[in-house]
Amino acid sequence: MKLSSRRVAKKTLIPGKSPASILVLLLTLLVFSMAPGAAQGAPAPAADILQQGLHYYRIGELDQALALLLDFMAGQPDSTQEPEAALILSRIYYQRGDYEQTLHFLQVIPPALRGSENRLLEGSALTRLGQSEEGIALLSSLDETSLSRNQQAQRLAALAKGHLDQQNWLQALYFIHAYLPLSIDQKQTDHLIELAGNVVREQLSSAQLAEAAFMFSRSPVGQAAGLQLALSSWQAGDTVTARRHVEAVLQQPTAFPGRDEAVRLRDRLTGAPIKSRVLGVILPLSGRYAAFGKAVQRGMELALEQLGNTEYPIKFLFKDSAGDPEQSSRAVSELANAEQALAILGPLTGNAAEAAAQRAQLERLPLLTLSQRNGLAEVGPYVFRTSLTSVMQARALARYSIEERGLRTFAVMAPDSRLGKEMNKHFVAEVERLGGIIVAYRSYAADATDFRRQILLLKGEDPDAPEPPPPPESSPELETEIPELPFEALFIPDYAERIGLIAPQLAYYGIRDVTLLGINGWNDPELLRLAGSYVEGAVFTDGFYRYSPYPFVQAFVNSYFERFGSEPTILEAQGYDVAGILLAHLSRGEQLTRDDLRNALNRVQNYPGVAGATSFDAQGDAQKVLFLLQVQNGNIVQIN
């Protein structure tokens, strides 16, 4: 293989090419010679031929690139650009599986100019040609940090091939295992996994199988080794060990070619195949809350499509609560007994959820409800609740304001409604717990449109005092003195339509330069249209933010839009998450009972939901990481 670089350039112009390939080259050169501005009959400048060849390589037209670069090499054997052309030619020949020519052109490059890629191509070509010892040595000397992701994958695949040829079985499996997360070529990936399967079936001792199953767990390599351990134990009559190994294999989330065989072995060992699993869903699909129930249902269906395991079918069985407590209770009983459901998702509305929770606890059937009704999780250990609650929002705002912003004095202005009273109670409690001070509180009628009285009282002014005469006209240079307020932040737990009336009045009556705090009802485009600059800098929370920069949120939004043709709201997001929490446990194929699922829900920590990372406390109530949003330059943006 020690070929002269000059002989490469001058003697072999198109190695191994047919007359048809030569004709393509001649036609290509003819096209360039006829290009506008070219001298009649004059050959194209060498620099132009090289640039055209590089252009065709970049756009993936390898035939044209090959012809032009070979022409450049023949015509410019001493060019300073010859190493660049030779490197591209070696890449093309490697991609085409012509490893002799890969090495042939790599030798054109002077040793002083050979970098990591040159050594990578040379080592890879050597292993492909069966010169594994030399190839492994060269590839092992490479600094991985100097390689791109694709180059790292190429190196690992070549090392795996080299060690297989050397019959270094565990080393080969190691490099296949390391290659899989970087997989760039599905055909090559499938081939390497097949080779790994052959090794664990035919080459490894029992001790090596155990080592491979341990070292390469959570990858197809380790699963193949684990299955072989199970088969060996079963054939030896040790069914207990065989079952332990095969169940460990099937509990892994990754697929591997022998999974069907593992399922059959597990079924043979247990005596009963896993049947399709049923999850009951109780939602208001008719009546006044039907639109909300159907939104949640769409989120759940998307989760099942994306996260369900077709090998172990999981079925959602939907029941209509119509928002009715008695109908919800009957649905729980039917799902628990006639349908043998493993768990129930829903209901959504308060009274229906309370009745369903009582019945689910009686049936000892795990229930994961989306209702905001307080106290549901206290019904019993089989009842869990995940929803955006007043407590979550109040705590998130108070902690942000005090711990991150350093604010200490607060006022509250809330509607005289159940929501307003509940939000005020939880916000005040959290502020005081964190060492803050509530200096003022004012309520207003839920349908109010004028807030002058409450605003003046917050400032400590008498709203019934006669209005002072207007001040004399002053020159433009005089600035209006803004009185100092006794609070740094003002919490208003209401919705965007009402904030559109309140915010301008706050500024008009002199409440400026304070931080406005709000709830998820502020996360509405109407807020910006109605309140405009008066809410600039305001901070509020929500359980879902459609424009979040988090990649998994964007993936959910895009897939939902593709599936249903509209953008999701928090309802669809919560349905997607609550289904995903259970599917995460059921999709792995284990034989689960209702108690297994209940125990699994107790252990959920920071489930990466699109509606906030979710954990369950000891009571069964969800603890979520909410989205903190702020109005910045007239836009709502996420700040956490």
Side-chain angles (χ1 to χ4, degrees), residues 202-241:
E202 302 169 9
Q203 306 297 340
L204 299 188
S205 66
S206 296
Q208 289 175 319
L209 280 173
E211 184 176 354
F214 176 78
M215 288 175 57
F216 313 130
S217 62
R218 300 185 67 83
S219 87
V221 176
Q223 289 174 286
L227 173 59
Q228 193 59 37
L229 280 173
L231 287 169
S232 299
S233 298
W234 176 61
Q235 290 164 0
D238 186 352
T239 57
V240 174
T241 302

mmCIF file of all heavy atoms in Angstrom, residues 202-241:
data_model
loop_
_atom_site.group_PDB
_atom_site.id
_atom_site.type_symbol
_atom_site.label_atom_id
_atom_site.label_comp_id
_atom_site.label_asym_id
_atom_site.label_seq_id
_atom_site.Cartn_x
_atom_site.Cartn_y
_atom_site.Cartn_z
ATOM 1 N N GLU A 202 -22.991 -16.468 20.404
ATOM 2 C CA GLU A 202 -22.057 -17.503 19.946
ATOM 3 C C GLU A 202 -20.662 -17.435 20.557
ATOM 4 O O GLU A 202 -19.924 -18.424 20.497
ATOM 5 C CB GLU A 202 -21.928 -17.412 18.419
ATOM 6 C CG GLU A 202 -23.245 -17.580 17.684
ATOM 7 C CD GLU A 202 -23.141 -17.217 16.208
ATOM 8 O OE1 GLU A 202 -21.996 -16.994 15.734
ATOM 9 O OE2 GLU A 202 -24.193 -17.138 15.541
ATOM 10 N N GLN A 203 -20.275 -16.293 21.129
ATOM 11 C CA GLN A 203 -18.870 -16.135 21.479
ATOM 12 C C GLN A 203 -18.581 -15.973 22.963
ATOM 13 O O GLN A 203 -17.453 -16.218 23.387
ATOM 14 C CB GLN A 203 -18.279 -14.912 20.733
ATOM 15 C CG GLN A 203 -18.468 -14.936 19.233
ATOM 16 C CD GLN A 203 -17.767 -16.092 18.551
ATOM 17 O OE1 GLN A 203 -16.840 -16.697 19.108
ATOM 18 N NE2 GLN A 203 -18.208 -16.439 17.351
ATOM 19 N N LEU A 204 -19.536 -15.528 23.750
ATOM 20 C CA LEU A 204 -19.243 -15.157 25.135
ATOM 21 C C LEU A 204 -19.513 -16.310 26.101
ATOM 22 O O LEU A 204 -20.479 -17.064 25.955
ATOM 23 C CB LEU A 204 -20.081 -13.954 25.559
ATOM 24 C CG LEU A 204 -19.892 -12.650 24.774
ATOM 25 C CD1 LEU A 204 -20.654 -11.516 25.440
ATOM 26 C CD2 LEU A 204 -18.418 -12.287 24.629
ATOM 27 N N SER A 205 -18.645 -16.401 27.122
ATOM 28 C CA SER A 205 -18.878 -17.334 28.223
ATOM 29 C C SER A 205 -19.953 -16.763 29.144
ATOM 30 O O SER A 205 -20.359 -15.601 29.010
ATOM 31 C CB SER A 205 -17.581 -17.534 29.005
ATOM 32 O OG SER A 205 -17.208 -16.310 29.641
ATOM 33 N N SER A 206 -20.407 -17.564 30.100
ATOM 34 C CA SER A 206 -21.424 -17.087 31.045
ATOM 35 C C SER A 206 -20.920 -15.880 31.831
ATOM 36 O O SER A 206 -21.652 -14.910 32.049
ATOM 37 C CB SER A 206 -21.809 -18.207 32.010
ATOM 38 O OG SER A 206 -22.411 -19.274 31.313
ATOM 39 N N ALA A 207 -19.650 -15.931 32.226
ATOM 40 C CA ALA A 207 -19.082 -14.806 32.976
ATOM 41 C C ALA A 207 -19.028 -13.558 32.111
ATOM 42 O O ALA A 207 -19.321 -12.449 32.568
ATOM 43 C CB ALA A 207 -17.689 -15.164 33.485
ATOM 44 N N GLN A 208 -18.672 -13.712 30.834
ATOM 45 C CA GLN A 208 -18.625 -12.557 29.943
ATOM 46 C C GLN A 208 -20.018 -12.019 29.657
ATOM 47 O O GLN A 208 -20.213 -10.806 29.538
ATOM 48 C CB GLN A 208 -17.913 -12.946 28.641
ATOM 49 C CG GLN A 208 -16.421 -13.165 28.788
ATOM 50 C CD GLN A 208 -15.790 -13.670 27.510
ATOM 51 O OE1 GLN A 208 -16.359 -14.516 26.814
ATOM 52 N NE2 GLN A 208 -14.605 -13.160 27.201
ATOM 53 N N LEU A 209 -20.996 -12.908 29.540
ATOM 54 C CA LEU A 209 -22.378 -12.458 29.349
ATOM 55 C C LEU A 209 -22.850 -11.608 30.525
ATOM 56 O O LEU A 209 -23.464 -10.547 30.343
ATOM 57 C CB LEU A 209 -23.309 -13.662 29.179
ATOM 58 C CG LEU A 209 -23.355 -14.321 27.812
ATOM 59 C CD1 LEU A 209 -24.187 -15.594 27.879
ATOM 60 C CD2 LEU A 209 -23.933 -13.358 26.772
ATOM 61 N N ALA A 210 -22.563 -12.082 31.736
ATOM 62 C CA ALA A 210 -22.964 -11.325 32.924
ATOM 63 C C ALA A 210 -22.277 -9.968 32.952
ATOM 64 O O ALA A 210 -22.894 -8.953 33.299
ATOM 65 C CB ALA A 210 -22.624 -12.120 34.181
ATOM 66 N N GLU A 211 -21.009 -9.939 32.567
ATOM 67 C CA GLU A 211 -20.275 -8.668 32.549
ATOM 68 C C GLU A 211 -20.874 -7.729 31.507
ATOM 69 O O GLU A 211 -21.050 -6.541 31.760
ATOM 70 C CB GLU A 211 -18.803 -8.928 32.241
ATOM 71 C CG GLU A 211 -17.938 -7.673 32.306
ATOM 72 C CD GLU A 211 -16.470 -7.968 32.091
ATOM 73 O OE1 GLU A 211 -16.099 -9.160 32.006
ATOM 74 O OE2 GLU A 211 -15.687 -7.008 32.007
ATOM 75 N N ALA A 212 -21.189 -8.254 30.316
ATOM 76 C CA ALA A 212 -21.767 -7.425 29.257
ATOM 77 C C ALA A 212 -23.141 -6.903 29.650
ATOM 78 O O ALA A 212 -23.468 -5.739 29.404
ATOM 79 C CB ALA A 212 -21.849 -8.223 27.961
ATOM 80 N N ALA A 213 -23.969 -7.741 30.260
ATOM 81 C CA ALA A 213 -25.300 -7.313 30.678
ATOM 82 C C ALA A 213 -25.219 -6.192 31.698
ATOM 83 O O ALA A 213 -26.037 -5.266 31.708
ATOM 84 C CB ALA A 213 -26.083 -8.495 31.247
ATOM 85 N N PHE A 214 -24.203 -6.264 32.579
ATOM 86 C CA PHE A 214 -24.028 -5.222 33.603
ATOM 87 C C PHE A 214 -23.434 -3.950 33.000
ATOM 88 O O PHE A 214 -23.911 -2.853 33.240
ATOM 89 C CB PHE A 214 -23.126 -5.754 34.712
ATOM 90 C CG PHE A 214 -22.802 -4.730 35.759
ATOM 91 C CD1 PHE A 214 -23.726 -4.400 36.746
ATOM 92 C CD2 PHE A 214 -21.587 -4.059 35.752
ATOM 93 C CE1 PHE A 214 -23.443 -3.442 37.699
ATOM 94 C CE2 PHE A 214 -21.281 -3.109 36.706
ATOM 95 C CZ PHE A 214 -22.213 -2.797 37.689
ATOM 96 N N MET A 215 -22.361 -4.095 32.213
ATOM 97 C CA MET A 215 -21.646 -2.933 31.682
ATOM 98 C C MET A 215 -22.479 -2.141 30.681
ATOM 99 O O MET A 215 -22.411 -0.912 30.632
ATOM 100 C CB MET A 215 -20.345 -3.387 31.002
ATOM 101 C CG MET A 215 -19.258 -3.859 31.948
ATOM 102 S SD MET A 215 -17.837 -4.509 31.010
ATOM 103 C CE MET A 215 -17.416 -3.090 29.998
ATOM 104 N N PHE A 216 -23.266 -2.836 29.881
ATOM 105 C CA PHE A 216 -23.954 -2.176 28.773
ATOM 106 C C PHE A 216 -25.467 -2.150 28.967
ATOM 107 O O PHE A 216 -26.232 -2.197 28.012
ATOM 108 C CB PHE A 216 -23.611 -2.884 27.454
ATOM 109 C CG PHE A 216 -22.137 -3.156 27.277
ATOM 110 C CD1 PHE A 216 -21.682 -4.413 26.935
ATOM 111 C CD2 PHE A 216 -21.209 -2.143 27.477
ATOM 112 C CE1 PHE A 216 -20.324 -4.660 26.782
ATOM 113 C CE2 PHE A 216 -19.854 -2.372 27.328
ATOM 114 C CZ PHE A 216 -19.409 -3.636 26.978
ATOM 115 N N SER A 217 -25.895 -2.117 30.230
ATOM 116 C CA SER A 217 -27.335 -2.066 30.516
ATOM 117 C C SER A 217 -27.942 -0.817 29.899
ATOM 118 O O SER A 217 -27.255 0.161 29.638
ATOM 119 C CB SER A 217 -27.582 -2.081 32.024
ATOM 120 O OG SER A 217 -26.998 -0.942 32.628
ATOM 121 N N ARG A 218 -29.228 -0.846 29.647
ATOM 122 C CA ARG A 218 -29.986 0.267 29.048
ATOM 123 C C ARG A 218 -29.563 0.539 27.609
ATOM 124 O O ARG A 218 -29.752 1.642 27.087
ATOM 125 C CB ARG A 218 -29.888 1.541 29.890
ATOM 126 C CG ARG A 218 -30.416 1.376 31.301
ATOM 127 C CD ARG A 218 -30.406 2.682 32.056
ATOM 128 N NE ARG A 218 -31.358 3.633 31.479
ATOM 129 C CZ ARG A 218 -32.664 3.645 31.751
ATOM 130 N NH1 ARG A 218 -33.190 2.754 32.590
ATOM 131 N NH2 ARG A 218 -33.454 4.538 31.190
ATOM 132 N N SER A 219 -28.987 -0.477 26.943
ATOM 133 C CA SER A 219 -28.719 -0.366 25.514
ATOM 134 C C SER A 219 -29.009 -1.723 24.894
ATOM 135 O O SER A 219 -29.022 -2.746 25.598
ATOM 136 C CB SER A 219 -27.273 0.056 25.237
ATOM 137 O OG SER A 219 -26.410 -1.059 25.185
ATOM 138 N N PRO A 220 -29.234 -1.788 23.594
ATOM 139 C CA PRO A 220 -29.502 -3.084 22.959
ATOM 140 C C PRO A 220 -28.402 -4.111 23.185
ATOM 141 O O PRO A 220 -28.678 -5.311 23.203
ATOM 142 C CB PRO A 220 -29.625 -2.710 21.472
ATOM 143 C CG PRO A 220 -30.123 -1.309 21.476
ATOM 144 C CD PRO A 220 -29.441 -0.658 22.655
ATOM 145 N N VAL A 221 -27.160 -3.656 23.368
ATOM 146 C CA VAL A 221 -26.065 -4.591 23.617
ATOM 147 C C VAL A 221 -26.275 -5.311 24.947
ATOM 148 O O VAL A 221 -26.200 -6.540 25.029
ATOM 149 C CB VAL A 221 -24.716 -3.848 23.604
ATOM 150 C CG1 VAL A 221 -23.586 -4.805 23.969
ATOM 151 C CG2 VAL A 221 -24.464 -3.206 22.246
ATOM 152 N N GLY A 222 -26.539 -4.550 26.009
ATOM 153 C CA GLY A 222 -26.763 -5.155 27.311
ATOM 154 C C GLY A 222 -28.022 -5.997 27.353
ATOM 155 O O GLY A 222 -28.063 -7.045 28.021
ATOM 156 N N GLN A 223 -29.076 -5.554 26.639
ATOM 157 C CA GLN A 223 -30.311 -6.324 26.626
ATOM 158 C C GLN A 223 -30.127 -7.667 25.914
ATOM 159 O O GLN A 223 -30.673 -8.689 26.335
ATOM 160 C CB GLN A 223 -31.413 -5.507 25.954
ATOM 161 C CG GLN A 223 -31.877 -4.333 26.817
ATOM 162 C CD GLN A 223 -32.861 -3.452 26.076
ATOM 163 O OE1 GLN A 223 -32.487 -2.703 25.187
ATOM 164 N NE2 GLN A 223 -34.121 -3.535 26.437
ATOM 165 N N ALA A 224 -29.350 -7.642 24.824
ATOM 166 C CA ALA A 224 -29.073 -8.904 24.132
ATOM 167 C C ALA A 224 -28.313 -9.857 25.043
ATOM 168 O O ALA A 224 -28.590 -11.069 25.081
ATOM 169 C CB ALA A 224 -28.283 -8.623 22.854
ATOM 170 N N ALA A 225 -27.359 -9.335 25.805
ATOM 171 C CA ALA A 225 -26.609 -10.174 26.739
ATOM 172 C C ALA A 225 -27.518 -10.693 27.846
ATOM 173 O O ALA A 225 -27.431 -11.865 28.243
ATOM 174 C CB ALA A 225 -25.447 -9.385 27.328
ATOM 175 N N GLY A 226 -28.395 -9.830 28.353
ATOM 176 C CA GLY A 226 -29.321 -10.262 29.402
ATOM 177 C C GLY A 226 -30.266 -11.343 28.929
ATOM 178 O O GLY A 226 -30.570 -12.303 29.657
ATOM 179 N N LEU A 227 -30.753 -11.214 27.691
ATOM 180 C CA LEU A 227 -31.632 -12.247 27.139
ATOM 181 C C LEU A 227 -30.896 -13.577 27.003
ATOM 182 O O LEU A 227 -31.448 -14.638 27.316
ATOM 183 C CB LEU A 227 -32.164 -11.800 25.778
ATOM 184 C CG LEU A 227 -32.966 -12.849 24.998
ATOM 185 C CD1 LEU A 227 -34.178 -13.320 25.801
ATOM 186 C CD2 LEU A 227 -33.396 -12.302 23.643
ATOM 187 N N GLN A 228 -29.640 -13.519 26.573
ATOM 188 C CA GLN A 228 -28.885 -14.753 26.431
ATOM 189 C C GLN A 228 -28.646 -15.414 27.785
ATOM 190 O O GLN A 228 -28.683 -16.648 27.912
ATOM 191 C CB GLN A 228 -27.547 -14.468 25.741
ATOM 192 C CG GLN A 228 -26.820 -15.700 25.269
ATOM 193 C CD GLN A 228 -27.633 -16.515 24.272
ATOM 194 O OE1 GLN A 228 -28.340 -15.958 23.445
ATOM 195 N NE2 GLN A 228 -27.556 -17.838 24.362
ATOM 196 N N LEU A 229 -28.423 -14.600 28.816
ATOM 197 C CA LEU A 229 -28.314 -15.145 30.168
ATOM 198 C C LEU A 229 -29.602 -15.847 30.576
ATOM 199 O O LEU A 229 -29.586 -16.927 31.170
ATOM 200 C CB LEU A 229 -27.988 -14.035 31.161
ATOM 201 C CG LEU A 229 -26.539 -13.564 31.267
ATOM 202 C CD1 LEU A 229 -26.469 -12.336 32.180
ATOM 203 C CD2 LEU A 229 -25.650 -14.671 31.812
ATOM 204 N N ALA A 230 -30.747 -15.190 30.267
ATOM 205 C CA ALA A 230 -32.036 -15.782 30.620
ATOM 206 C C ALA A 230 -32.253 -17.099 29.881
ATOM 207 O O ALA A 230 -32.707 -18.097 30.473
ATOM 208 C CB ALA A 230 -33.158 -14.794 30.289
ATOM 209 N N LEU A 231 -31.921 -17.130 28.583
ATOM 210 C CA LEU A 231 -32.103 -18.350 27.808
ATOM 211 C C LEU A 231 -31.206 -19.474 28.332
ATOM 212 O O LEU A 231 -31.633 -20.634 28.441
ATOM 213 C CB LEU A 231 -31.787 -18.071 26.339
ATOM 214 C CG LEU A 231 -32.831 -17.230 25.580
ATOM 215 C CD1 LEU A 231 -32.278 -16.789 24.237
ATOM 216 C CD2 LEU A 231 -34.127 -18.014 25.401
ATOM 217 N N SER A 232 -29.972 -19.133 28.670
ATOM 218 C CA SER A 232 -29.049 -20.157 29.196
ATOM 219 C C SER A 232 -29.562 -20.722 30.518
ATOM 220 O O SER A 232 -29.515 -21.940 30.755
ATOM 221 C CB SER A 232 -27.656 -19.550 29.376
ATOM 222 O OG SER A 232 -27.136 -19.087 28.149
ATOM 223 N N SER A 233 -30.068 -19.840 31.394
ATOM 224 C CA SER A 233 -30.590 -20.304 32.685
ATOM 225 C C SER A 233 -31.826 -21.174 32.487
ATOM 226 O O SER A 233 -31.997 -22.210 33.149
ATOM 227 C CB SER A 233 -30.927 -19.096 33.566
ATOM 228 O OG SER A 233 -29.777 -18.333 33.844
ATOM 229 N N TRP A 234 -32.698 -20.782 31.558
ATOM 230 C CA TRP A 234 -33.921 -21.553 31.300
ATOM 231 C C TRP A 234 -33.569 -22.937 30.748
ATOM 232 O O TRP A 234 -34.130 -23.950 31.162
ATOM 233 C CB TRP A 234 -34.791 -20.774 30.317
ATOM 234 C CG TRP A 234 -36.030 -21.514 29.902
ATOM 235 C CD1 TRP A 234 -37.050 -21.941 30.701
ATOM 236 C CD2 TRP A 234 -36.358 -21.933 28.577
ATOM 237 N NE1 TRP A 234 -38.011 -22.579 29.963
ATOM 238 C CE2 TRP A 234 -37.610 -22.597 28.641
ATOM 239 C CE3 TRP A 234 -35.740 -21.815 27.346
ATOM 240 C CZ2 TRP A 234 -38.227 -23.126 27.531
ATOM 241 C CZ3 TRP A 234 -36.366 -22.342 26.219
ATOM 242 C CH2 TRP A 234 -37.595 -22.991 26.319
ATOM 243 N N GLN A 235 -32.621 -22.963 29.803
ATOM 244 C CA GLN A 235 -32.230 -24.247 29.229
ATOM 245 C C GLN A 235 -31.581 -25.158 30.265
ATOM 246 O O GLN A 235 -31.657 -26.385 30.173
ATOM 247 C CB GLN A 235 -31.276 -24.009 28.057
ATOM 248 C CG GLN A 235 -31.975 -23.377 26.859
ATOM 249 C CD GLN A 235 -31.002 -22.780 25.846
ATOM 250 O OE1 GLN A 235 -29.782 -22.833 26.038
ATOM 251 N NE2 GLN A 235 -31.542 -22.213 24.771
ATOM 252 N N ALA A 236 -30.959 -24.523 31.294
ATOM 253 C CA ALA A 236 -30.339 -25.313 32.369
ATOM 254 C C ALA A 236 -31.344 -25.701 33.443
ATOM 255 O O ALA A 236 -30.976 -26.360 34.432
ATOM 256 C CB ALA A 236 -29.186 -24.522 32.990
ATOM 257 N N GLY A 237 -32.606 -25.272 33.287
ATOM 258 C CA GLY A 237 -33.643 -25.628 34.244
ATOM 259 C C GLY A 237 -33.778 -24.672 35.407
ATOM 260 O O GLY A 237 -34.576 -24.914 36.326
ATOM 261 N N ASP A 238 -33.033 -23.552 35.399
ATOM 262 C CA ASP A 238 -33.096 -22.585 36.499
ATOM 263 C C ASP A 238 -34.097 -21.489 36.120
ATOM 264 O O ASP A 238 -33.730 -20.408 35.652
ATOM 265 C CB ASP A 238 -31.703 -21.989 36.748
ATOM 266 C CG ASP A 238 -31.664 -21.093 37.983
ATOM 267 O OD1 ASP A 238 -32.743 -20.807 38.550
ATOM 268 O OD2 ASP A 238 -30.559 -20.647 38.353
ATOM 269 N N THR A 239 -35.389 -21.765 36.327
ATOM 270 C CA THR A 239 -36.426 -20.846 35.878
ATOM 271 C C THR A 239 -36.466 -19.549 36.712
ATOM 272 O O THR A 239 -36.847 -18.497 36.196
ATOM 273 C CB THR A 239 -37.802 -21.530 35.931
ATOM 274 O OG1 THR A 239 -38.045 -21.990 37.273
ATOM 275 C CG2 THR A 239 -37.870 -22.693 34.968
ATOM 276 N N VAL A 240 -36.080 -19.637 37.982
ATOM 277 C CA VAL A 240 -36.087 -18.445 38.825
ATOM 278 C C VAL A 240 -35.078 -17.422 38.300
ATOM 279 O O VAL A 240 -35.393 -16.245 38.116
ATOM 280 C CB VAL A 240 -35.770 -18.810 40.288
ATOM 281 C CG1 VAL A 240 -35.624 -17.547 41.129
ATOM 282 C CG2 VAL A 240 -36.870 -19.704 40.854
ATOM 283 N N THR A 241 -33.855 -17.876 38.032
ATOM 284 C CA THR A 241 -32.825 -16.976 37.502
ATOM 285 C C THR A 241 -33.202 -16.490 36.106
ATOM 286 O O THR A 241 -33.000 -15.323 35.760
ATOM 287 C CB THR A 241 -31.460 -17.674 37.466
ATOM 288 O OG1 THR A 241 -31.128 -18.106 38.787
ATOM 289 C CG2 THR A 241 -30.380 -16.743 36.952
#
